[in-house]
Amino acid sequence: MEIGIINTKGWTVIDCSRGPSLCALSLKTAVRAGERPQVLAAAEEAHHDADTEGAALRELMGRVDRSLPVLMTLARTQYRLRVMPEPAVPQREMLASLRWSLSTESDGPLEDFNLAWIRIPTEEQLPSRPKQLYAVMTPTAWLTTRLAAWRQAGVRPKVVDIRETALRNIAGALERPGEGLALISADSEGVGMVFTHQGSLYLDRYIEQPLAELEAADAQTRVRLHERIALQLLRSIDVIGRSYPFMPVTRVVVAPAPEALGLHESLAAQLPLRVEPLELDQVFDLTRVPALAQSPALQARCLVPLGAALRSAKVAT
């Protein structure tokens, strides 16, 4: 969702995930050809509930670039994402048609939801296949309340975005010509997967597994989780092979994790394809923020806002 006129010099992004902290960063995307987008600032601030969010936001805004437009990324529980047939209507009529299509499935009036959509491109490779898209639904009353609370804290977002598109942006920046790419990332609530081709999102998966429980688990429990992730990944790659044969998934990239989960090593040992760790400096210039360059935990926390800030960037890797 976009609010007002937006420039494309860069973004200050604040991530409102359900974890124990808020994260903010500023990214300069207006760089010379061949240069990477430059991280200008990155900060993390603890917060425990809605009562402490305002103070945390004000603290974060004092540590980032306030001259850039602000983008907020939502927690997964704050929106619904689903794949559905693309209505055969002009683009200007798409939202109205989607609301009508969804009206028989919703628990409440569709006017109570902010609705957006993302196309899943198949018309060039599979022209006879029915078109599909992602529909994104956020409760309007909840979003209006949150926007008012953010503004009261001095934060006026121009864009509200979701996690899957942020991770899609990073995966798209890592792709090689013709390949499909899987990006695996962990956060405080679980492990996510996005599958991209030519910068577009084709499939997403999420395994709920609170990190706090995993940190306290024994080695056998961790092995079972690694096996579950590997199985879900292989099943998803099989789905892509059958549904989108033009985008063979040849690589899996594993993002930094909040804790040393051993996920990269485990997947590399289990999977019959190439598994690589994500090196953020392949995509971003981190020289202005050495703390981010040196801390895998901070990189994991900043992954979604970094990806969200790429929405207007052309990345050279």
mmCIF file of all heavy atoms in Angstrom, residues 221-260:
data_model
loop_
_atom_site.group_PDB
_atom_site.id
_atom_site.type_symbol
_atom_site.label_atom_id
_atom_site.label_comp_id
_atom_site.label_asym_id
_atom_site.label_seq_id
_atom_site.Cartn_x
_atom_site.Cartn_y
_atom_site.Cartn_z
ATOM 1 N N THR A 221 16.190 -32.582 18.706
ATOM 2 C CA THR A 221 15.070 -31.742 18.280
ATOM 3 C C THR A 221 15.487 -30.840 17.126
ATOM 4 O O THR A 221 14.739 -30.644 16.163
ATOM 5 C CB THR A 221 14.568 -30.896 19.455
ATOM 6 O OG1 THR A 221 14.146 -31.770 20.516
ATOM 7 C CG2 THR A 221 13.404 -30.019 19.038
ATOM 8 N N ARG A 222 16.698 -30.318 17.198
ATOM 9 C CA ARG A 222 17.185 -29.465 16.105
ATOM 10 C C ARG A 222 17.336 -30.273 14.811
ATOM 11 O O ARG A 222 17.015 -29.779 13.734
ATOM 12 C CB ARG A 222 18.524 -28.835 16.484
ATOM 13 C CG ARG A 222 18.417 -27.736 17.520
ATOM 14 C CD ARG A 222 19.671 -26.900 17.540
ATOM 15 N NE ARG A 222 19.551 -25.792 18.461
ATOM 16 C CZ ARG A 222 20.263 -24.673 18.381
ATOM 17 N NH1 ARG A 222 21.171 -24.555 17.422
ATOM 18 N NH2 ARG A 222 20.111 -23.703 19.257
ATOM 19 N N VAL A 223 17.818 -31.482 14.928
ATOM 20 C CA VAL A 223 17.967 -32.329 13.740
ATOM 21 C C VAL A 223 16.606 -32.569 13.088
ATOM 22 O O VAL A 223 16.472 -32.512 11.862
ATOM 23 C CB VAL A 223 18.640 -33.665 14.113
ATOM 24 C CG1 VAL A 223 18.515 -34.663 12.967
ATOM 25 C CG2 VAL A 223 20.104 -33.437 14.455
ATOM 26 N N ARG A 224 15.587 -32.821 13.923
ATOM 27 C CA ARG A 224 14.242 -33.047 13.375
ATOM 28 C C ARG A 224 13.741 -31.802 12.639
ATOM 29 O O ARG A 224 13.098 -31.907 11.588
ATOM 30 C CB ARG A 224 13.277 -33.452 14.485
ATOM 31 C CG ARG A 224 13.466 -34.884 14.967
ATOM 32 C CD ARG A 224 12.243 -35.361 15.721
ATOM 33 N NE ARG A 224 12.027 -34.581 16.937
ATOM 34 C CZ ARG A 224 12.517 -34.907 18.133
ATOM 35 N NH1 ARG A 224 13.257 -36.000 18.271
ATOM 36 N NH2 ARG A 224 12.262 -34.161 19.196
ATOM 37 N N LEU A 225 14.016 -30.615 13.202
ATOM 38 C CA LEU A 225 13.600 -29.384 12.520
ATOM 39 C C LEU A 225 14.342 -29.221 11.201
ATOM 40 O O LEU A 225 13.736 -28.884 10.174
ATOM 41 C CB LEU A 225 13.845 -28.168 13.407
ATOM 42 C CG LEU A 225 13.534 -26.828 12.728
ATOM 43 C CD1 LEU A 225 12.059 -26.713 12.389
ATOM 44 C CD2 LEU A 225 13.978 -25.649 13.584
ATOM 45 N N HIS A 226 15.644 -29.474 11.200
ATOM 46 C CA HIS A 226 16.404 -29.377 9.958
ATOM 47 C C HIS A 226 15.850 -30.327 8.897
ATOM 48 O O HIS A 226 15.744 -29.976 7.716
ATOM 49 C CB HIS A 226 17.878 -29.686 10.223
ATOM 50 C CG HIS A 226 18.568 -28.622 11.028
ATOM 51 N ND1 HIS A 226 19.808 -28.819 11.590
ATOM 52 C CD2 HIS A 226 18.200 -27.363 11.367
ATOM 53 C CE1 HIS A 226 20.179 -27.726 12.239
ATOM 54 N NE2 HIS A 226 19.207 -26.838 12.129
ATOM 55 N N GLU A 227 15.494 -31.534 9.317
ATOM 56 C CA GLU A 227 14.923 -32.501 8.377
ATOM 57 C C GLU A 227 13.565 -32.033 7.858
ATOM 58 O O GLU A 227 13.243 -32.209 6.679
ATOM 59 C CB GLU A 227 14.794 -33.863 9.057
ATOM 60 C CG GLU A 227 16.139 -34.527 9.353
ATOM 61 C CD GLU A 227 15.991 -35.798 10.161
ATOM 62 O OE1 GLU A 227 14.873 -36.036 10.701
ATOM 63 O OE2 GLU A 227 16.968 -36.569 10.247
ATOM 64 N N ARG A 228 12.791 -31.426 8.736
ATOM 65 C CA ARG A 228 11.477 -30.904 8.331
ATOM 66 C C ARG A 228 11.643 -29.776 7.306
ATOM 67 O O ARG A 228 10.912 -29.708 6.314
ATOM 68 C CB ARG A 228 10.730 -30.394 9.562
ATOM 69 C CG ARG A 228 9.348 -29.840 9.294
ATOM 70 C CD ARG A 228 8.748 -29.303 10.570
ATOM 71 N NE ARG A 228 7.502 -28.595 10.350
ATOM 72 C CZ ARG A 228 6.954 -27.782 11.227
ATOM 73 N NH1 ARG A 228 7.537 -27.581 12.411
ATOM 74 N NH2 ARG A 228 5.826 -27.168 10.958
ATOM 75 N N ILE A 229 12.607 -28.911 7.529
ATOM 76 C CA ILE A 229 12.861 -27.810 6.593
ATOM 77 C C ILE A 229 13.323 -28.363 5.250
ATOM 78 O O ILE A 229 12.854 -27.932 4.192
ATOM 79 C CB ILE A 229 13.908 -26.840 7.180
ATOM 80 C CG1 ILE A 229 13.341 -26.139 8.424
ATOM 81 C CG2 ILE A 229 14.332 -25.798 6.133
ATOM 82 C CD1 ILE A 229 14.372 -25.384 9.220
ATOM 83 N N ALA A 230 14.248 -29.335 5.284
ATOM 84 C CA ALA A 230 14.742 -29.924 4.042
ATOM 85 C C ALA A 230 13.618 -30.598 3.264
ATOM 86 O O ALA A 230 13.531 -30.476 2.033
ATOM 87 C CB ALA A 230 15.860 -30.925 4.348
ATOM 88 N N LEU A 231 12.729 -31.301 3.972
ATOM 89 C CA LEU A 231 11.617 -31.972 3.308
ATOM 90 C C LEU A 231 10.672 -30.961 2.678
ATOM 91 O O LEU A 231 10.228 -31.132 1.530
ATOM 92 C CB LEU A 231 10.872 -32.847 4.310
ATOM 93 C CG LEU A 231 9.672 -33.625 3.770
ATOM 94 C CD1 LEU A 231 10.098 -34.554 2.634
ATOM 95 C CD2 LEU A 231 8.996 -34.410 4.890
ATOM 96 N N GLN A 232 10.348 -29.891 3.417
ATOM 97 C CA GLN A 232 9.468 -28.862 2.869
ATOM 98 C C GLN A 232 10.096 -28.196 1.647
ATOM 99 O O GLN A 232 9.428 -27.912 0.646
ATOM 100 C CB GLN A 232 9.168 -27.808 3.937
ATOM 101 C CG GLN A 232 8.284 -26.654 3.454
ATOM 102 C CD GLN A 232 6.906 -27.116 3.042
ATOM 103 O OE1 GLN A 232 6.049 -27.387 3.876
ATOM 104 N NE2 GLN A 232 6.665 -27.216 1.735
ATOM 105 N N LEU A 233 11.397 -27.966 1.719
ATOM 106 C CA LEU A 233 12.109 -27.357 0.602
ATOM 107 C C LEU A 233 12.049 -28.250 -0.636
ATOM 108 O O LEU A 233 11.750 -27.788 -1.749
ATOM 109 C CB LEU A 233 13.554 -27.089 1.014
ATOM 110 C CG LEU A 233 14.462 -26.394 0.002
ATOM 111 C CD1 LEU A 233 13.895 -25.055 -0.416
ATOM 112 C CD2 LEU A 233 15.854 -26.219 0.596
ATOM 113 N N LEU A 234 12.316 -29.546 -0.461
ATOM 114 C CA LEU A 234 12.281 -30.467 -1.595
ATOM 115 C C LEU A 234 10.877 -30.582 -2.179
ATOM 116 O O LEU A 234 10.700 -30.651 -3.399
ATOM 117 C CB LEU A 234 12.797 -31.839 -1.161
ATOM 118 C CG LEU A 234 14.304 -31.919 -0.896
ATOM 119 C CD1 LEU A 234 14.662 -33.270 -0.291
ATOM 120 C CD2 LEU A 234 15.093 -31.687 -2.177
ATOM 121 N N ARG A 235 9.866 -30.603 -1.321
ATOM 122 C CA ARG A 235 8.487 -30.656 -1.809
ATOM 123 C C ARG A 235 8.147 -29.397 -2.602
ATOM 124 O O ARG A 235 7.472 -29.455 -3.637
ATOM 125 C CB ARG A 235 7.531 -30.817 -0.630
ATOM 126 C CG ARG A 235 7.528 -32.213 -0.021
ATOM 127 C CD ARG A 235 6.655 -32.262 1.220
ATOM 128 N NE ARG A 235 6.511 -33.623 1.730
ATOM 129 C CZ ARG A 235 5.958 -33.918 2.911
ATOM 130 N NH1 ARG A 235 5.479 -32.940 3.689
ATOM 131 N NH2 ARG A 235 5.872 -35.171 3.306
ATOM 132 N N SER A 236 8.619 -28.257 -2.113
ATOM 133 C CA SER A 236 8.341 -26.997 -2.801
ATOM 134 C C SER A 236 9.042 -26.947 -4.153
ATOM 135 O O SER A 236 8.469 -26.474 -5.147
ATOM 136 C CB SER A 236 8.794 -25.819 -1.929
ATOM 137 O OG SER A 236 8.111 -25.816 -0.687
ATOM 138 N N ILE A 237 10.269 -27.441 -4.215
ATOM 139 C CA ILE A 237 10.989 -27.488 -5.487
ATOM 140 C C ILE A 237 10.279 -28.416 -6.467
ATOM 141 O O ILE A 237 10.209 -28.140 -7.669
ATOM 142 C CB ILE A 237 12.455 -27.919 -5.249
ATOM 143 C CG1 ILE A 237 13.207 -26.804 -4.505
ATOM 144 C CG2 ILE A 237 13.148 -28.232 -6.567
ATOM 145 C CD1 ILE A 237 14.598 -27.194 -4.067
ATOM 146 N N ASP A 238 9.702 -29.507 -5.956
ATOM 147 C CA ASP A 238 8.934 -30.414 -6.808
ATOM 148 C C ASP A 238 7.684 -29.723 -7.345
ATOM 149 O O ASP A 238 7.342 -29.874 -8.526
ATOM 150 C CB ASP A 238 8.556 -31.663 -6.013
ATOM 151 C CG ASP A 238 7.772 -32.662 -6.853
ATOM 152 O OD1 ASP A 238 8.332 -33.167 -7.837
ATOM 153 O OD2 ASP A 238 6.597 -32.911 -6.524
ATOM 154 N N VAL A 239 7.011 -28.937 -6.494
ATOM 155 C CA VAL A 239 5.841 -28.173 -6.930
ATOM 156 C C VAL A 239 6.232 -27.209 -8.048
ATOM 157 O O VAL A 239 5.532 -27.085 -9.071
ATOM 158 C CB VAL A 239 5.219 -27.404 -5.750
ATOM 159 C CG1 VAL A 239 4.185 -26.383 -6.242
ATOM 160 C CG2 VAL A 239 4.574 -28.373 -4.770
ATOM 161 N N ILE A 240 7.354 -26.516 -7.879
ATOM 162 C CA ILE A 240 7.808 -25.578 -8.898
ATOM 163 C C ILE A 240 8.139 -26.311 -10.194
ATOM 164 O O ILE A 240 7.799 -25.843 -11.291
ATOM 165 C CB ILE A 240 9.025 -24.787 -8.380
ATOM 166 C CG1 ILE A 240 8.561 -23.776 -7.333
ATOM 167 C CG2 ILE A 240 9.757 -24.078 -9.519
ATOM 168 C CD1 ILE A 240 9.662 -23.035 -6.653
ATOM 169 N N GLY A 241 8.803 -27.467 -10.084
ATOM 170 C CA GLY A 241 9.140 -28.224 -11.284
ATOM 171 C C GLY A 241 7.920 -28.614 -12.094
ATOM 172 O O GLY A 241 7.951 -28.630 -13.330
ATOM 173 N N ARG A 242 6.820 -28.938 -11.387
ATOM 174 C CA ARG A 242 5.588 -29.322 -12.086
ATOM 175 C C ARG A 242 4.774 -28.119 -12.545
ATOM 176 O O ARG A 242 4.149 -28.149 -13.606
ATOM 177 C CB ARG A 242 4.735 -30.216 -11.177
ATOM 178 C CG ARG A 242 5.324 -31.614 -10.980
ATOM 179 C CD ARG A 242 4.449 -32.511 -10.141
ATOM 180 N NE ARG A 242 4.562 -32.233 -8.709
ATOM 181 C CZ ARG A 242 3.649 -31.624 -7.981
ATOM 182 N NH1 ARG A 242 2.524 -31.212 -8.555
ATOM 183 N NH2 ARG A 242 3.822 -31.430 -6.690
ATOM 184 N N SER A 243 4.770 -27.063 -11.745
ATOM 185 C CA SER A 243 3.931 -25.899 -12.046
ATOM 186 C C SER A 243 4.625 -24.869 -12.931
ATOM 187 O O SER A 243 3.977 -24.223 -13.757
ATOM 188 C CB SER A 243 3.498 -25.221 -10.739
ATOM 189 O OG SER A 243 2.807 -26.114 -9.903
ATOM 190 N N TYR A 244 5.937 -24.708 -12.736
ATOM 191 C CA TYR A 244 6.697 -23.687 -13.459
ATOM 192 C C TYR A 244 7.980 -24.317 -14.025
ATOM 193 O O TYR A 244 9.085 -24.031 -13.557
ATOM 194 C CB TYR A 244 7.050 -22.524 -12.532
ATOM 195 C CG TYR A 244 5.880 -21.973 -11.761
ATOM 196 C CD1 TYR A 244 5.790 -22.128 -10.376
ATOM 197 C CD2 TYR A 244 4.851 -21.301 -12.413
ATOM 198 C CE1 TYR A 244 4.719 -21.627 -9.671
ATOM 199 C CE2 TYR A 244 3.762 -20.797 -11.714
ATOM 200 C CZ TYR A 244 3.705 -20.964 -10.339
ATOM 201 O OH TYR A 244 2.638 -20.463 -9.646
ATOM 202 N N PRO A 245 7.874 -25.166 -15.035
ATOM 203 C CA PRO A 245 9.049 -25.890 -15.531
ATOM 204 C C PRO A 245 10.102 -24.988 -16.171
ATOM 205 O O PRO A 245 11.230 -25.435 -16.405
ATOM 206 C CB PRO A 245 8.451 -26.848 -16.573
ATOM 207 C CG PRO A 245 7.147 -26.235 -16.965
ATOM 208 C CD PRO A 245 6.638 -25.550 -15.751
ATOM 209 N N PHE A 246 9.767 -23.733 -16.426
ATOM 210 C CA PHE A 246 10.717 -22.804 -17.036
ATOM 211 C C PHE A 246 11.704 -22.219 -16.024
ATOM 212 O O PHE A 246 12.608 -21.487 -16.412
ATOM 213 C CB PHE A 246 9.953 -21.654 -17.708
ATOM 214 C CG PHE A 246 9.003 -20.930 -16.795
ATOM 215 C CD1 PHE A 246 9.440 -19.906 -15.966
ATOM 216 C CD2 PHE A 246 7.667 -21.297 -16.749
ATOM 217 C CE1 PHE A 246 8.558 -19.246 -15.130
ATOM 218 C CE2 PHE A 246 6.774 -20.640 -15.901
ATOM 219 C CZ PHE A 246 7.225 -19.616 -15.091
ATOM 220 N N MET A 247 11.550 -22.503 -14.732
ATOM 221 C CA MET A 247 12.429 -21.908 -13.718
ATOM 222 C C MET A 247 13.045 -22.980 -12.815
ATOM 223 O O MET A 247 12.717 -23.063 -11.630
ATOM 224 C CB MET A 247 11.680 -20.858 -12.889
ATOM 225 C CG MET A 247 10.383 -21.329 -12.246
ATOM 226 S SD MET A 247 9.730 -20.169 -10.998
ATOM 227 C CE MET A 247 10.894 -20.313 -9.660
ATOM 228 N N PRO A 248 13.936 -23.807 -13.342
ATOM 229 C CA PRO A 248 14.541 -24.842 -12.487
ATOM 230 C C PRO A 248 15.281 -24.215 -11.309
ATOM 231 O O PRO A 248 16.073 -23.287 -11.479
ATOM 232 C CB PRO A 248 15.519 -25.547 -13.441
ATOM 233 C CG PRO A 248 15.804 -24.535 -14.510
ATOM 234 C CD PRO A 248 14.523 -23.778 -14.690
ATOM 235 N N VAL A 249 14.984 -24.701 -10.114
ATOM 236 C CA VAL A 249 15.664 -24.208 -8.914
ATOM 237 C C VAL A 249 17.004 -24.916 -8.817
ATOM 238 O O VAL A 249 17.082 -26.112 -8.525
ATOM 239 C CB VAL A 249 14.818 -24.460 -7.650
ATOM 240 C CG1 VAL A 249 15.577 -24.010 -6.401
ATOM 241 C CG2 VAL A 249 13.481 -23.724 -7.754
ATOM 242 N N THR A 250 18.072 -24.192 -9.078
ATOM 243 C CA THR A 250 19.413 -24.771 -9.098
ATOM 244 C C THR A 250 20.234 -24.405 -7.872
ATOM 245 O O THR A 250 21.273 -25.012 -7.639
ATOM 246 C CB THR A 250 20.168 -24.302 -10.351
ATOM 247 O OG1 THR A 250 20.203 -22.857 -10.370
ATOM 248 C CG2 THR A 250 19.475 -24.789 -11.615
ATOM 249 N N ARG A 251 19.764 -23.423 -7.109
ATOM 250 C CA ARG A 251 20.517 -23.003 -5.921
ATOM 251 C C ARG A 251 19.576 -22.688 -4.770
ATOM 252 O O ARG A 251 18.469 -22.197 -4.980
ATOM 253 C CB ARG A 251 21.348 -21.752 -6.207
ATOM 254 C CG ARG A 251 22.618 -21.973 -6.986
ATOM 255 C CD ARG A 251 23.476 -20.705 -6.954
ATOM 256 N NE ARG A 251 22.767 -19.560 -7.490
ATOM 257 C CZ ARG A 251 22.908 -18.317 -7.032
ATOM 258 N NH1 ARG A 251 23.708 -18.073 -6.006
ATOM 259 N NH2 ARG A 251 22.248 -17.313 -7.600
ATOM 260 N N VAL A 252 20.074 -22.957 -3.580
ATOM 261 C CA VAL A 252 19.408 -22.553 -2.345
ATOM 262 C C VAL A 252 20.369 -21.634 -1.606
ATOM 263 O O VAL A 252 21.526 -21.981 -1.389
ATOM 264 C CB VAL A 252 19.066 -23.775 -1.459
ATOM 265 C CG1 VAL A 252 18.469 -23.322 -0.130
ATOM 266 C CG2 VAL A 252 18.112 -24.714 -2.188
ATOM 267 N N VAL A 253 19.890 -20.448 -1.239
ATOM 268 C CA VAL A 253 20.705 -19.496 -0.487
ATOM 269 C C VAL A 253 20.114 -19.371 0.910
ATOM 270 O O VAL A 253 18.913 -19.141 1.071
ATOM 271 C CB VAL A 253 20.745 -18.125 -1.187
ATOM 272 C CG1 VAL A 253 21.553 -17.120 -0.351
ATOM 273 C CG2 VAL A 253 21.356 -18.258 -2.584
ATOM 274 N N VAL A 254 20.959 -19.534 1.922
ATOM 275 C CA VAL A 254 20.520 -19.501 3.319
ATOM 276 C C VAL A 254 20.984 -18.197 3.953
ATOM 277 O O VAL A 254 22.194 -17.914 4.009
ATOM 278 C CB VAL A 254 21.071 -20.706 4.105
ATOM 279 C CG1 VAL A 254 20.558 -20.685 5.543
ATOM 280 C CG2 VAL A 254 20.682 -22.013 3.413
ATOM 281 N N ALA A 255 20.044 -17.408 4.415
ATOM 282 C CA ALA A 255 20.350 -16.111 5.015
ATOM 283 C C ALA A 255 20.907 -16.284 6.421
ATOM 284 O O ALA A 255 20.694 -17.318 7.072
ATOM 285 C CB ALA A 255 19.091 -15.247 5.048
ATOM 286 N N PRO A 256 21.611 -15.269 6.936
ATOM 287 C CA PRO A 256 22.064 -15.312 8.332
ATOM 288 C C PRO A 256 20.880 -15.503 9.273
ATOM 289 O O PRO A 256 19.772 -15.020 9.010
ATOM 290 C CB PRO A 256 22.715 -13.939 8.534
ATOM 291 C CG PRO A 256 23.097 -13.490 7.164
ATOM 292 C CD PRO A 256 22.044 -14.037 6.250
ATOM 293 N N ALA A 257 21.104 -16.214 10.358
ATOM 294 C CA ALA A 257 20.052 -16.505 11.336
ATOM 295 C C ALA A 257 20.309 -15.734 12.627
ATOM 296 O O ALA A 257 21.453 -15.355 12.919
ATOM 297 C CB ALA A 257 19.994 -18.004 11.633
ATOM 298 N N PRO A 258 19.249 -15.493 13.414
ATOM 299 C CA PRO A 258 19.433 -14.768 14.685
ATOM 300 C C PRO A 258 20.391 -15.473 15.637
ATOM 301 O O PRO A 258 21.069 -14.838 16.430
ATOM 302 C CB PRO A 258 18.013 -14.713 15.261
ATOM 303 C CG PRO A 258 17.114 -14.900 14.097
ATOM 304 C CD PRO A 258 17.840 -15.792 13.149
ATOM 305 N N GLU A 259 20.418 -16.787 15.582
ATOM 306 C CA GLU A 259 21.342 -17.579 16.399
ATOM 307 C C GLU A 259 22.028 -18.595 15.493
ATOM 308 O O GLU A 259 21.624 -18.806 14.353
ATOM 309 C CB GLU A 259 20.594 -18.303 17.534
ATOM 310 C CG GLU A 259 19.867 -17.379 18.492
ATOM 311 C CD GLU A 259 20.812 -16.578 19.365
ATOM 312 O OE1 GLU A 259 21.975 -17.002 19.523
ATOM 313 O OE2 GLU A 259 20.381 -15.533 19.883
ATOM 314 N N ALA A 260 23.068 -19.229 16.004
ATOM 315 C CA ALA A 260 23.789 -20.237 15.221
ATOM 316 C C ALA A 260 22.949 -21.511 15.149
ATOM 317 O O ALA A 260 23.059 -22.393 16.006
ATOM 318 C CB ALA A 260 25.150 -20.517 15.845
#
